[in-house]
Structures are given as C-alpha cells and as structure tokens.
Amino acid sequence: MLSPPWSVRVQDEAPLTLVSMVRSAAWVIPDGGTAVRLPPGDVAIMRGPDPYTVSDDPATPPQVVIHPGQRSTTPDGAALCDSMDLGVRTWGDDPDGSTEMLIGTYQMRGEVNQRLLAALPALLVLPGDAWDSPLISLLGAEIGKDEPGQEVVLDRLLDLLLIAVLRAWFARQETKAPAWYRAHSDPVVGPALRMLQNEPAHPWTVAALAARTGVSRAALARRFTELVGEPPMAFLTGWRLALAADLLREPDATVGAVARKVGYGSSFALSTAFKRVRGVSPQEYRVGASGSG
C-alpha cells in the first residue's frame, strides 16, 4: 500500500518479477528505457537482472531501494524493511494508501528456466482488457491469510498466474512466441515434445517417438525440425544437458546419479556429451556454478 508521491528503485537482480495493479496506476521505468504506464488491471513482468523503477510518476525521485534478498533501504542506505512492514505479506508507507499492487518475485535461476527467460522481453505488459482470469482476485484474497500451508498455496497461485499471463501474452497476434512454444500446440510435434521433456531418461529414438505419435519417422523428423528449429534428438540432447546442469547445482548430486536421471548410461557418457556441447566437464561446471551462486 502506497500513497503518492512514491517511487521504488528495484535492483534485487531477480530473474523474473510479476506486478499486478489492483488500485490506482503506476509507472515502470527501466534503466535506459522508456517509461510505461500500468493502469489498474494491467499485469507487468520484468525480466532481470537489470534494475528498474516503479513509481506514481516518472518524475518522482526514488525513496526506497530494493536490494538482493528483498532488503529495502533509503537511497542513502538506511534500513527500511521494519518500518514499511504493514502486516502479513503487506508492505508500503500507508495501510490506507491509494495504490495497491500484488508483487511476486521469482529466483528462477537455472539452465532450463533460461529457455523461458530468453523468450521474454525485458518488460512485458498484458493490458487488463486483454484477458479474463479470476487468479488475481483469488491471490489478493489469500495473500493476507496466515494459516498452515499458506506459503504453498500462494506459491502455486503465483505459478498459475504467471502461466496464465504468459499464455495470454504469447497468444496475442503481435507477439512472436518462440518456436518451441508454438510447436506444443501441433497435434504431432506437441505430444513428441512433451514426451521428451517429461521422460528425458527414456531411451528415445526417432522411431520410438514416431510410433508413439502415429506418424512415420521421416514425417516426424521433418515436421519437428520445421516447427522447433532442430531435429528431435538434437532437442533431446539440449534438454537433457540443461536438466543435468540444473541438477549439478544440487550439493549432494553425483555426476553418476545426474547421468541416470537425464538418460545417460554412465557418468562418462554424460561427461563426454556435456564437455562436447558446453566446453567444460560436469565437475568444472559445478565448481563454476557454486562460485557464481
């Protein structure tokens, strides 16, 4: 809850942030970009890690800075988190403020998530009149509750809201959805994609995929390559290695266990494919990932 004039500079480096305007309007001003107005009902998705400002007016100077870890300070560094805490999951400068927005932040780092993030602009705005969903009001009703399991409920609602917003945005005619997203709606390639993504450890071949989708090997390979932009087995290799890269970030995961989960028969087989495609071994990648996390 905020009362004008207000301005919040966000430099938390979060990969993805979703903002839904409930009451009053706000402006989003990307660093070095054009200010965009968000009237009530609009939903915006900001793709990090670049900073941006959200304010009641582009001319209002920042009064609050959001840092990594959702730590908030004044522009000169004085802590603000406690003084702006208005209750359960509620933050702002005025409990009766005229501006209300729902904000969800995703720390969705990882190789698999990069496929989604790479398909999004730095700032995505879905106008309120471009879609119809009960999720925002449901999330708003649940966010102030303090009941057992509430965090799980809110996480799932936020996930559903993110999916609904992206689906509505990608469906707009002026939006150029990525090839892999469009291919999911194809009656042949869609099922093949889902099988590869949901069962990466299965010993897939083009023949096996073709049999499961009811077309010939040549027809599947040709249509898959045309719609996705690469052959089925090349897509599978990339998907397996992206999953492996994310699993290798887990401190207790061994290369052998990761290899089995993503469809390689041994740690040697995974290491060979990983180094061929990524230029480093799984162990070297793990060291680099832990050093940058």
Side-chain angles (χ1 to χ4, degrees):
M1 304 288 191
L2 295 160
S3 288
W6 60 269
S7 180
V8 179
R9 177 168 173 78
V10 183
Q11 50 189 46
D12 60 0
E13 302 178 8
L16 199 72
T17 299
L18 184 148
V19 175
S20 173
M21 295 305 304
V22 179
R23 284 191 290 121
S24 295
W27 289 82
V28 178
I29 309 107
D31 275 24
T34 303
V36 176
R37 185 175 183 271
L38 303 178
D42 279 17
V43 179
I45 292 177
M46 281 73 83
R47 175 172 56 81
D50 294 340
Y52 55 91
T53 300
V54 185
S55 65
D56 70 311
D57 186 281
T60 304
Q63 303 146 343
V64 180
V65 180
I66 307 297
H67 303 272
Q70 298 304 299
R71 182 175 62 89
S72 58
T73 69
T74 63
D76 59 6
L80 279 175
C81 288
D82 291 341
S83 63
M84 299 191 74
D85 187 349
L86 299 179
V88 179
R89 303 182 195 89
T90 305
W91 182 93
D93 63 5
D94 183 354
D96 299 314
S98 60
T99 302
E100 181 181 357
M101 62 187 92
L102 298 177
I103 302 174
T105 300
Y106 282 87
Q107 299 296 336
M108 49 190 303
R109 305 183 193 280
E111 297 292 328
V112 170
N113 294 320
Q114 285 302 319
R115 292 181 175 229
L116 169 62
L117 295 176
L120 302 179
L123 173 60
L124 175 164
V125 177
L126 183 67
D129 59 5
W131 71 315
D132 182 23
S133 172
L135 289 168
I136 292 176
S137 58
L138 183 58
L139 185 61
E142 291 285 337
I143 204 165
K145 294 181 181 179
D146 191 15
E147 299 179 5
Q150 195 65 18
E151 292 292 341
V152 175
V153 171
L154 292 171
D155 286 347
R156 297 295 79 78
L157 284 174
L158 184 61
D159 289 344
L160 289 171
L161 178 59
L162 175 64
I163 292 168
V165 170
L166 292 177
R167 186 167 61 184
W169 188 75
F170 280 139
R172 304 181 76 190
Q173 289 186 348
E174 66 270 27
T175 299
K176 184 172 176 57
W180 55 262
Y181 181 88
R182 298 194 305 270
H184 270 280
S185 62
D186 184 82
V188 173
V189 177
L193 270 172
R194 287 186 282 277
M195 283 185 276
L196 295 177
Q197 291 177 319
N198 295 337
E199 304 175 63
H202 187 82
W204 291 111
T205 63
V206 177
L209 275 176
R212 295 270 290 268
T213 54
V215 297
S216 70
R217 284 181 295 175
L220 175 64
R222 181 175 61 252
R223 190 165 184 81
F224 194 103
T225 304
E226 175 186 330
L227 295 183
V228 179
E230 59 183 342
M233 295 301 100
F235 175 87
L236 177 60
T237 296
W239 181 248
R240 282 173 167 170
L241 295 182
L243 290 173
D246 283 354
L247 290 170
L248 286 166
R249 291 172 176 263
E250 300 296 326
D252 298 330
T254 65
V255 175
V258 170
R260 290 189 293 275
K261 284 184 178 180
V262 301
Y264 286 93
S266 66
S267 57
F268 177 78
L270 172 61
S271 296
T272 301
F274 203 95
K275 189 158 190 174
R276 183 182 70 249
V277 173
R278 294 176 173 265
V280 295
S281 70
Q283 293 288 10
E284 291 169 330
Y285 174 85
R286 187 205 296 271
V287 171
S290 63
S292 62

